[in-house]
Amino acid sequence: MQTHLRGRDMITTQEWTRDEIDTILDVAIDLKRRRALGEEHALLRDKVLAMLFFFSSTRTRASFEAGMAQLGGHAQFIESKTTQIAHGDTATEIGEILGRYNDGIAIRQVDWDLGNRYIRDVAAASRVPVLNMQCDWYHPFQALADLLTIVEKRGDLSGLTVNVSWAYAASYQKPLSVPQSLILLLTRYGIDVRLTHPPEFKLQPEILEQAEANAEQSGGSLALGNDFDAGFEGADVVYPKSWGCMLTTPDPEESADIGARYKDWIADERRLSSASASAGYMHCLPADRGVEVTDAVIDGPNSWVFDEAENRLHVQKAVMALTM
Ligand code: CP
């Protein structure tokens, strides 16, 4: 267990050692147990987290805000469009100023080719930890919650096969951040990770290189495929979700048109039945029901989505308690 994490940013799990990530999981499990028992755990009394959102959220906002209250502190919700950012407040000014009012700054900025840069610029100017609530490249707290969920359901992770797959959705061109953070984190735990997507829906090459290096070090693997059905076959965990083809075209309409060629990429009972008998179905949510996944799968006995969503709360509390 690592005990010197105060002041650290969480922008990507890739910047945390395996020992440090194990510490987050240990603390998350402890805080989850303490909440279940009704034990007080006001570890951040009088501390304040600024939550700056440039994009909508259900789970991220609700879980960070609830988590800060349960830790004895407060979270202030700041929607970018209600601020003076559009009138000139720079990322450096946001880091300097919110860092002086608060004990942590959490940011969601998912605009392609901007979000990660913005969060890094705020972090460079901030005297307090900066927490990435999702950018264009990474969604570290989602991946941590997903890892915790797989640990709880499966225990020993080495040799497990997890299929991180693209699926069709019509609602909007979702960021690359969830699949990228997943393949980066799961490959550090000896997991055999499959990454399945149509050719146009590539992830960033540098992320693939990092994930391959992680797998080599951990004894896991990263296998790339373009066959939706084959991704499910024999998998222990399936994680089919949509993302945009930002690396093929920057135009969201063209990306939507390309995605529409793959409307048959829907997680359904036939495909799930080809996975291992007790395979878990995971999705970060929100899901396009009836498009990305059938009701029978997302509401079925193999679905882990509510435990997964709950674990956002516990891993975020752990990181806040350790860093703030
Ligand atoms: N999974 C996730 O980040 O959910 P929200 O977009 O609702 O926060």
Side-chain angles (χ1 to χ4, degrees):
M1 171 167 276
Q2 297 299 313
T3 54
H4 56 285
L5 301 171
R6 203 72 55 202
R8 288 280 295 277
D9 298 326
M10 173 55 85
I11 296 176
T12 166
T13 56
Q14 197 65 14
E15 293 166 351
W16 288 55
T17 66
R18 170 69 197 260
D19 266 1
E20 290 167 347
I21 295 168
D22 288 345
T23 299
I24 295 170
L25 297 183
D26 279 353
V27 172
I29 290 165
D30 183 47
L31 293 176
K32 186 171 184 175
R33 183 187 60 78
R34 286 162 78 170
R35 177 164 162 74
L37 293 172
E39 281 181 14
E40 193 187 324
H41 49 281
L43 302 167
L44 295 181
R45 199 181 293 285
D46 299 330
K47 299 217 172 175
V48 184
L49 175 74
M51 302 186 304
L52 174 58
F53 282 90
F54 290 81
F55 191 74
S56 53
S57 165
T58 303
R59 282 144 290 272
T60 303
R61 177 190 174 179
S63 53
F64 268 102
E65 198 165 326
M68 273 307 287
Q70 290 161 21
L71 290 168
H74 173 72
Q76 50 170 320
F77 172 64
I78 307 170
E79 207 176 6
S80 65
K81 64 178 181 239
T82 66
T83 69
Q84 300 280 31
I85 289 173
H87 300 151
D89 283 335
T90 66
T92 299
E93 288 164 356
I94 291 293
E96 276 283 357
I97 295 164
L98 293 188
R100 292 175 189 223
Y101 300 156
N102 294 279
D103 303 283
I105 304 172
I107 304 173
R108 169 170 281 194
Q109 167 43 291
V110 299
D111 291 347
W112 179 245
D113 209 20
L114 174 64
N116 188 261
R117 223 163 356 111
Y118 183 85
I119 292 175
R120 299 259 179 216
D121 287 347
V122 172
S126 169
R127 60 177 65 177
V128 299
V130 168
L131 309 179
N132 180 358
M133 296 194 294
Q134 189 177 20
C135 68
D136 48 343
W137 293 9
Y138 307 117
H139 198 350
F141 291 101
Q142 184 64 54
L144 286 165
D146 296 336
L147 176 63
L148 176 58
T149 306
I150 298 171
V151 168
E152 287 179 333
K153 303 284 187 190
R154 287 290 175 267
D156 184 15
L157 301 184
S158 61
L160 212 65
T161 298
V162 178
N163 179 37
V164 176
S165 176
W166 188 86
Y168 176 65
S171 54
Y172 68 104
Q173 298 307 295
K174 303 179 186 194
L176 306 186
S177 47
V178 170
Q180 296 203 149
S181 281
L182 277 172
I183 66 166
L184 285 174
L185 187 57
L186 299 183
T187 50
R188 296 178 77 184
Y189 281 81
I191 294 174
D192 293 320
V193 179
R194 292 178 187 165
L195 176 65
T196 310
H197 59 77
E200 299 90 340
F201 289 83
K202 293 181 281 287
L203 302 185
Q204 292 173 281
E206 58 268 40
I207 300 286
L208 294 180
E209 279 168 27
Q210 289 168 6
E212 274 160 6
N214 291 346
E216 196 167 331
Q217 201 170 357
S218 75
S221 63
L222 179 69
L224 274 51
N226 295 143
D227 182 332
F228 190 52
D229 285 5
F232 282 76
E233 282 166 20
D236 299 298
V237 179
V238 295
Y239 202 130
K241 75 148 329 266
S242 193
W243 63 83
C245 57
M246 288 76 168
L247 295 177
T248 299
T249 172
D251 177 5
E253 280 181 26
E254 195 183 347
S255 177
D257 288 344
I258 294 170
R261 295 176 199 157
Y262 301 100
K263 282 187 178 172
D264 55 335
W265 285 50
I266 175 170
D268 58 16
E269 284 175 294
R270 177 183 67 76
R271 285 161 172 138
L272 186 60
S273 70
S274 75
S276 82
S278 58
Y281 165 81
M282 300 185 76
H283 194 294
C284 55
L285 305 179
D288 283 25
R289 281 174 174 261
V291 177
E292 203 175 0
V293 57
T294 62
D295 288 345
V297 168
I298 197 168
D299 297 328
N302 295 65
S303 177
W304 297 348
V305 295
F306 295 130
D307 291 330
E308 183 183 0
E310 178 185 336
N311 281 336
R312 290 290 304 275
L313 173 72
H314 307 301
V315 296
Q316 288 160 197
K317 284 169 70 179
V319 172
M320 291 191 289
L322 288 163
T323 61
M324 284 173 58

